[in-house]
PDB file of all heavy atoms in Angstrom:
ATOM      1  N   GLN A   1     -48.411 -63.717  -6.889  1.00 93.00           N
ATOM      2  CA  GLN A   1     -48.251 -63.825  -5.450  1.00 93.00           C
ATOM      3  C   GLN A   1     -47.418 -65.051  -5.031  1.00 93.00           C
ATOM      4  O   GLN A   1     -46.600 -65.000  -4.147  1.00 93.00           O
ATOM      5  CB  GLN A   1     -49.609 -63.800  -4.737  1.00 93.00           C
ATOM      6  CG  GLN A   1     -50.284 -62.426  -4.753  1.00 93.00           C
ATOM      7  CD  GLN A   1     -49.443 -61.377  -4.078  1.00 93.00           C
ATOM      8  OE1 GLN A   1     -48.786 -61.585  -3.028  1.00 93.00           O
ATOM      9  NE2 GLN A   1     -49.477 -60.220  -4.639  1.00 93.00           N
ATOM     10  N   GLU A   2     -47.690 -66.164  -5.730  1.00 92.00           N
ATOM     11  CA  GLU A   2     -46.957 -67.407  -5.450  1.00 92.00           C
ATOM     12  C   GLU A   2     -45.430 -67.169  -5.739  1.00 92.00           C
ATOM     13  O   GLU A   2     -44.598 -67.597  -4.913  1.00 92.00           O
ATOM     14  CB  GLU A   2     -47.471 -68.517  -6.373  1.00 92.00           C
ATOM     15  CG  GLU A   2     -48.784 -69.139  -5.968  1.00 92.00           C
ATOM     16  CD  GLU A   2     -49.174 -70.172  -6.964  1.00 92.00           C
ATOM     17  OE1 GLU A   2     -48.290 -70.806  -7.580  1.00 92.00           O
ATOM     18  OE2 GLU A   2     -50.399 -70.380  -7.137  1.00 92.00           O
ATOM     19  N   LEU A   3     -45.106 -66.588  -6.828  1.00 90.00           N
ATOM     20  CA  LEU A   3     -43.714 -66.315  -7.147  1.00 90.00           C
ATOM     21  C   LEU A   3     -43.073 -65.405  -6.164  1.00 90.00           C
ATOM     22  O   LEU A   3     -41.885 -65.562  -5.792  1.00 90.00           O
ATOM     23  CB  LEU A   3     -43.589 -65.743  -8.617  1.00 90.00           C
ATOM     24  CG  LEU A   3     -43.954 -66.649  -9.751  1.00 90.00           C
ATOM     25  CD1 LEU A   3     -44.032 -65.886 -11.078  1.00 90.00           C
ATOM     26  CD2 LEU A   3     -42.986 -67.818  -9.803  1.00 90.00           C
ATOM     27  N   LEU A   4     -43.799 -64.345  -5.756  1.00 90.00           N
ATOM     28  CA  LEU A   4     -43.277 -63.449  -4.671  1.00 90.00           C
ATOM     29  C   LEU A   4     -42.978 -64.144  -3.360  1.00 90.00           C
ATOM     30  O   LEU A   4     -41.895 -63.953  -2.778  1.00 90.00           O
ATOM     31  CB  LEU A   4     -44.206 -62.277  -4.497  1.00 90.00           C
ATOM     32  CG  LEU A   4     -44.261 -61.194  -5.621  1.00 90.00           C
ATOM     33  CD1 LEU A   4     -45.360 -60.249  -5.255  1.00 90.00           C
ATOM     34  CD2 LEU A   4     -42.953 -60.498  -5.698  1.00 90.00           C
ATOM     35  N   GLN A   5     -43.873 -64.989  -2.988  1.00 91.00           N
ATOM     36  CA  GLN A   5     -43.701 -65.744  -1.716  1.00 91.00           C
ATOM     37  C   GLN A   5     -42.500 -66.705  -1.851  1.00 91.00           C
ATOM     38  O   GLN A   5     -41.725 -66.853  -0.887  1.00 91.00           O
ATOM     39  CB  GLN A   5     -44.971 -66.524  -1.356  1.00 91.00           C
ATOM     40  CG  GLN A   5     -46.164 -65.619  -1.047  1.00 91.00           C
ATOM     41  CD  GLN A   5     -45.806 -64.680   0.102  1.00 91.00           C
ATOM     42  OE1 GLN A   5     -45.144 -65.033   1.090  1.00 91.00           O
ATOM     43  NE2 GLN A   5     -46.375 -63.457   0.020  1.00 91.00           N
ATOM     44  N   GLU A   6     -42.354 -67.370  -3.001  1.00 89.00           N
ATOM     45  CA  GLU A   6     -41.230 -68.256  -3.222  1.00 89.00           C
ATOM     46  C   GLU A   6     -39.917 -67.521  -3.114  1.00 89.00           C
ATOM     47  O   GLU A   6     -38.921 -67.979  -2.476  1.00 89.00           O
ATOM     48  CB  GLU A   6     -41.301 -68.972  -4.586  1.00 89.00           C
ATOM     49  CG  GLU A   6     -42.353 -70.061  -4.649  1.00 89.00           C
ATOM     50  CD  GLU A   6     -42.482 -70.607  -6.059  1.00 89.00           C
ATOM     51  OE1 GLU A   6     -41.509 -70.469  -6.870  1.00 89.00           O
ATOM     52  OE2 GLU A   6     -43.532 -71.205  -6.324  1.00 89.00           O
ATOM     53  N   GLY A   7     -39.879 -66.338  -3.755  1.00 85.00           N
ATOM     54  CA  GLY A   7     -38.638 -65.507  -3.757  1.00 85.00           C
ATOM     55  C   GLY A   7     -38.303 -65.067  -2.310  1.00 85.00           C
ATOM     56  O   GLY A   7     -37.187 -65.077  -1.939  1.00 85.00           O
ATOM     57  N   LEU A   8     -39.337 -64.676  -1.598  1.00 86.00           N
ATOM     58  CA  LEU A   8     -39.101 -64.153  -0.189  1.00 86.00           C
ATOM     59  C   LEU A   8     -38.603 -65.371   0.680  1.00 86.00           C
ATOM     60  O   LEU A   8     -37.684 -65.177   1.487  1.00 86.00           O
ATOM     61  CB  LEU A   8     -40.398 -63.665   0.456  1.00 86.00           C
ATOM     62  CG  LEU A   8     -40.780 -62.278   0.042  1.00 86.00           C
ATOM     63  CD1 LEU A   8     -42.177 -61.871   0.549  1.00 86.00           C
ATOM     64  CD2 LEU A   8     -39.746 -61.231   0.466  1.00 86.00           C
ATOM     65  N   ALA A   9     -39.144 -66.548   0.483  1.00 86.00           N
ATOM     66  CA  ALA A   9     -38.724 -67.644   1.269  1.00 86.00           C
ATOM     67  C   ALA A   9     -37.257 -68.057   0.947  1.00 86.00           C
ATOM     68  O   ALA A   9     -36.460 -68.368   1.869  1.00 86.00           O
ATOM     69  CB  ALA A   9     -39.642 -68.930   0.972  1.00 86.00           C
ATOM     70  N   ARG A  10     -36.873 -67.965  -0.302  1.00 83.00           N
ATOM     71  CA  ARG A  10     -35.513 -68.201  -0.700  1.00 83.00           C
ATOM     72  C   ARG A  10     -34.533 -67.160  -0.144  1.00 83.00           C
ATOM     73  O   ARG A  10     -33.413 -67.452   0.300  1.00 83.00           O
ATOM     74  CB  ARG A  10     -35.322 -68.317  -2.210  1.00 83.00           C
ATOM     75  CG  ARG A  10     -35.520 -69.718  -2.736  1.00 83.00           C
ATOM     76  CD  ARG A  10     -35.194 -69.770  -4.194  1.00 83.00           C
ATOM     77  NE  ARG A  10     -36.497 -69.472  -4.917  1.00 83.00           N
ATOM     78  CZ  ARG A  10     -36.527 -68.769  -6.024  1.00 83.00           C
ATOM     79  NH1 ARG A  10     -35.458 -68.310  -6.584  1.00 83.00           N
ATOM     80  NH2 ARG A  10     -37.699 -68.535  -6.582  1.00 83.00           N
ATOM     81  N   SER A  11     -34.941 -65.916  -0.183  1.00 78.00           N
ATOM     82  CA  SER A  11     -34.019 -64.840   0.267  1.00 78.00           C
ATOM     83  C   SER A  11     -33.844 -64.799   1.739  1.00 78.00           C
ATOM     84  O   SER A  11     -32.797 -64.364   2.235  1.00 78.00           O
ATOM     85  CB  SER A  11     -34.537 -63.480  -0.228  1.00 78.00           C
ATOM     86  OG  SER A  11     -35.766 -63.152   0.404  1.00 78.00           O
ATOM     87  N   GLN A  12     -34.832 -65.285   2.518  1.00 81.00           N
ATOM     88  CA  GLN A  12     -34.737 -65.324   3.944  1.00 81.00           C
ATOM     89  C   GLN A  12     -33.676 -66.371   4.414  1.00 81.00           C
ATOM     90  O   GLN A  12     -33.060 -66.271   5.438  1.00 81.00           O
ATOM     91  CB  GLN A  12     -36.067 -65.542   4.630  1.00 81.00           C
ATOM     92  CG  GLN A  12     -36.990 -64.325   4.524  1.00 81.00           C
ATOM     93  CD  GLN A  12     -38.363 -64.629   4.983  1.00 81.00           C
ATOM     94  OE1 GLN A  12     -38.747 -65.707   5.249  1.00 81.00           O
ATOM     95  NE2 GLN A  12     -39.133 -63.570   5.067  1.00 81.00           N
ATOM     96  N   GLY A  13     -33.625 -67.438   3.656  1.00 72.00           N
ATOM     97  CA  GLY A  13     -32.661 -68.525   4.024  1.00 72.00           C
ATOM     98  C   GLY A  13     -31.294 -68.352   3.528  1.00 72.00           C
ATOM     99  O   GLY A  13     -30.309 -68.935   3.966  1.00 72.00           O
ATOM    100  N   ALA A  14     -31.153 -67.401   2.558  1.00 61.00           N
ATOM    101  CA  ALA A  14     -29.805 -67.213   1.939  1.00 61.00           C
ATOM    102  C   ALA A  14     -29.032 -66.117   2.740  1.00 61.00           C
ATOM    103  O   ALA A  14     -29.565 -65.271   3.421  1.00 61.00           O
ATOM    104  CB  ALA A  14     -29.993 -66.699   0.489  1.00 61.00           C
ATOM    105  N   PRO A  15     -27.681 -66.230   2.662  1.00 58.00           N
ATOM    106  CA  PRO A  15     -26.907 -65.175   3.295  1.00 58.00           C
ATOM    107  C   PRO A  15     -27.067 -63.853   2.639  1.00 58.00           C
ATOM    108  O   PRO A  15     -27.482 -63.814   1.486  1.00 58.00           O
ATOM    109  CB  PRO A  15     -25.427 -65.685   3.164  1.00 58.00           C
ATOM    110  CG  PRO A  15     -25.463 -66.633   1.989  1.00 58.00           C
ATOM    111  CD  PRO A  15     -26.894 -67.195   1.997  1.00 58.00           C
ATOM    112  N   PRO A  16     -26.882 -62.731   3.341  1.00 54.00           N
ATOM    113  CA  PRO A  16     -27.105 -61.417   2.715  1.00 54.00           C
ATOM    114  C   PRO A  16     -26.172 -61.241   1.527  1.00 54.00           C
ATOM    115  O   PRO A  16     -25.005 -61.645   1.532  1.00 54.00           O
ATOM    116  CB  PRO A  16     -26.721 -60.413   3.825  1.00 54.00           C
ATOM    117  CG  PRO A  16     -25.966 -61.226   4.872  1.00 54.00           C
ATOM    118  CD  PRO A  16     -26.414 -62.614   4.692  1.00 54.00           C
ATOM    119  N   ALA A  17     -26.739 -60.628   0.468  1.00 49.00           N
ATOM    120  CA  ALA A  17     -25.992 -60.454  -0.791  1.00 49.00           C
ATOM    121  C   ALA A  17     -25.306 -59.096  -0.777  1.00 49.00           C
ATOM    122  O   ALA A  17     -25.526 -58.236  -1.566  1.00 49.00           O
ATOM    123  CB  ALA A  17     -26.937 -60.537  -1.973  1.00 49.00           C
ATOM    124  N   THR A  18     -24.366 -58.958   0.138  1.00 50.00           N
ATOM    125  CA  THR A  18     -23.549 -57.716   0.190  1.00 50.00           C
ATOM    126  C   THR A  18     -22.210 -58.031  -0.362  1.00 50.00           C
ATOM    127  O   THR A  18     -21.668 -59.113  -0.142  1.00 50.00           O
ATOM    128  CB  THR A  18     -23.442 -57.172   1.583  1.00 50.00           C
ATOM    129  OG1 THR A  18     -22.855 -58.181   2.404  1.00 50.00           O
ATOM    130  CG2 THR A  18     -24.794 -56.755   2.154  1.00 50.00           C
ATOM    131  N   ARG A  19     -21.639 -57.030  -1.023  1.00 50.00           N
ATOM    132  CA  ARG A  19     -20.290 -57.178  -1.608  1.00 50.00           C
ATOM    133  C   ARG A  19     -19.338 -56.627  -0.527  1.00 50.00           C
ATOM    134  O   ARG A  19     -19.117 -55.440  -0.440  1.00 50.00           O
ATOM    135  CB  ARG A  19     -20.209 -56.434  -2.906  1.00 50.00           C
ATOM    136  CG  ARG A  19     -18.908 -56.660  -3.624  1.00 50.00           C
ATOM    137  CD  ARG A  19     -18.987 -55.916  -4.917  1.00 50.00           C
ATOM    138  NE  ARG A  19     -17.647 -55.964  -5.487  1.00 50.00           N
ATOM    139  CZ  ARG A  19     -17.249 -55.235  -6.408  1.00 50.00           C
ATOM    140  NH1 ARG A  19     -18.065 -54.363  -6.968  1.00 50.00           N
ATOM    141  NH2 ARG A  19     -16.053 -55.337  -6.935  1.00 50.00           N
ATOM    142  N   GLY A  20     -18.790 -57.465   0.284  1.00 53.00           N
ATOM    143  CA  GLY A  20     -17.966 -57.022   1.361  1.00 53.00           C
ATOM    144  C   GLY A  20     -16.522 -56.831   0.885  1.00 53.00           C
ATOM    145  O   GLY A  20     -15.944 -57.753   0.363  1.00 53.00           O
ATOM    146  N   ASP A  21     -15.980 -55.631   1.129  1.00 65.00           N
ATOM    147  CA  ASP A  21     -14.596 -55.421   0.833  1.00 65.00           C
ATOM    148  C   ASP A  21     -13.815 -55.881   2.065  1.00 65.00           C
ATOM    149  O   ASP A  21     -13.958 -55.270   3.153  1.00 65.00           O
ATOM    150  CB  ASP A  21     -14.324 -53.914   0.573  1.00 65.00           C
ATOM    151  CG  ASP A  21     -14.953 -53.451  -0.782  1.00 65.00           C
ATOM    152  OD1 ASP A  21     -14.998 -54.338  -1.652  1.00 65.00           O
ATOM    153  OD2 ASP A  21     -15.246 -52.303  -0.908  1.00 65.00           O
ATOM    154  N   LYS A  22     -13.024 -56.881   1.898  1.00 72.00           N
ATOM    155  CA  LYS A  22     -12.286 -57.383   3.012  1.00 72.00           C
ATOM    156  C   LYS A  22     -11.115 -56.423   3.306  1.00 72.00           C
ATOM    157  O   LYS A  22     -10.362 -56.076   2.406  1.00 72.00           O
ATOM    158  CB  LYS A  22     -11.715 -58.787   2.701  1.00 72.00           C
ATOM    159  CG  LYS A  22     -12.844 -59.837   2.631  1.00 72.00           C
ATOM    160  CD  LYS A  22     -12.278 -61.181   2.377  1.00 72.00           C
ATOM    161  CE  LYS A  22     -13.369 -62.167   2.270  1.00 72.00           C
ATOM    162  NZ  LYS A  22     -12.852 -63.532   1.966  1.00 72.00           N
ATOM    163  N   LYS A  23     -10.952 -56.061   4.596  1.00 78.00           N
ATOM    164  CA  LYS A  23      -9.896 -55.199   4.979  1.00 78.00           C
ATOM    165  C   LYS A  23      -8.655 -56.045   5.156  1.00 78.00           C
ATOM    166  O   LYS A  23      -8.728 -57.200   5.640  1.00 78.00           O
ATOM    167  CB  LYS A  23     -10.228 -54.429   6.222  1.00 78.00           C
ATOM    168  CG  LYS A  23     -11.327 -53.378   5.980  1.00 78.00           C
ATOM    169  CD  LYS A  23     -11.483 -52.515   7.155  1.00 78.00           C
ATOM    170  CE  LYS A  23     -12.515 -51.422   6.865  1.00 78.00           C
ATOM    171  NZ  LYS A  23     -12.587 -50.500   7.983  1.00 78.00           N
ATOM    172  N   CYS A  24      -7.504 -55.490   4.839  1.00 76.00           N
ATOM    173  CA  CYS A  24      -6.257 -56.146   5.004  1.00 76.00           C
ATOM    174  C   CYS A  24      -5.154 -55.126   5.286  1.00 76.00           C
ATOM    175  O   CYS A  24      -5.360 -53.902   5.083  1.00 76.00           O
ATOM    176  CB  CYS A  24      -5.903 -57.028   3.848  1.00 76.00           C
ATOM    177  SG  CYS A  24      -5.746 -56.052   2.298  1.00 76.00           S
TER     178      CYS A  24
END
């Protein structure tokens, strides 16, 4: 449970991990 809470806390502060294809 501690590890899950730590992971959730880190993921909420981090930018979304999406692979954005930049249009050009």
Side-chain angles (χ1 to χ4, degrees):
Q1 287 301 322
E2 286 175 28
L3 291 172
L4 286 173
Q5 294 303 323
E6 286 175 21
L8 283 173
R10 270 187 272 143
S11 67
Q12 289 173 351
T18 58
R19 187 177 172 195
D21 290 331
K22 293 182 180 177
K23 290 187 176 185
C24 62

